[in-house]
Amino acid sequence: VESIDSIVSRANNCFNDYFNSFPNGRILAVTHSGIIVNYLALISDTQFRVANSCVTIIKFNANATPVLVLEPCNRHLVVPEFC
């Protein structure tokens, strides 16, 4: 069983590698909630509850520091009622 510290370290290394490879690009990363929840706790000092199919937006500033732009959100799943 992988420890939480190991999960966070692996996620942090992965996102840093993405940023270094594509510093001006956009990256779509799909992951399990355990990874994103723990990574978000690292970068924001907040524990989030992440439901299935959530979208989270993280931007990296010029110093490669991650900034949470959109908290885990699944509003895209809501289907508007039709008249």
Side-chain angles (χ1 to χ4, degrees):
V1 175
E2 188 174 13
S3 70
I4 298 297
D5 288 342
S6 176
I7 291 171
V8 171
S9 176
R10 190 163 47 95
N12 194 40
N13 290 338
C14 178
F15 289 126
N16 285 335
D17 287 347
Y18 287 156
F19 175 79
N20 291 328
S21 296
F22 307 99
N24 297 314
R26 292 183 180 196
I27 300 161
L28 171 67
V30 179
T31 185
H32 292 279
S33 63
I35 293 173
I36 195 67
V37 163
N38 288 292
Y39 183 71
L40 291 175
L42 172 72
I43 68 170
S44 68
D45 292 327
T46 303
Q47 285 292 330
F48 290 98
R49 187 177 189 308
V50 177
N52 289 337
S53 301
C54 280
V55 172
T56 304
I57 298 175
I58 301 167
K59 289 192 175 188
F60 289 80
N61 65 20
N63 298 326
T65 303
V67 177
L68 181 60
V69 175
L70 176 66
E71 295 179 3
C73 173
N74 63 357
R75 282 180 261 159
H76 63 283
L77 300 175
V78 177
V79 179
E81 293 184 22
F82 296 98
C83 298

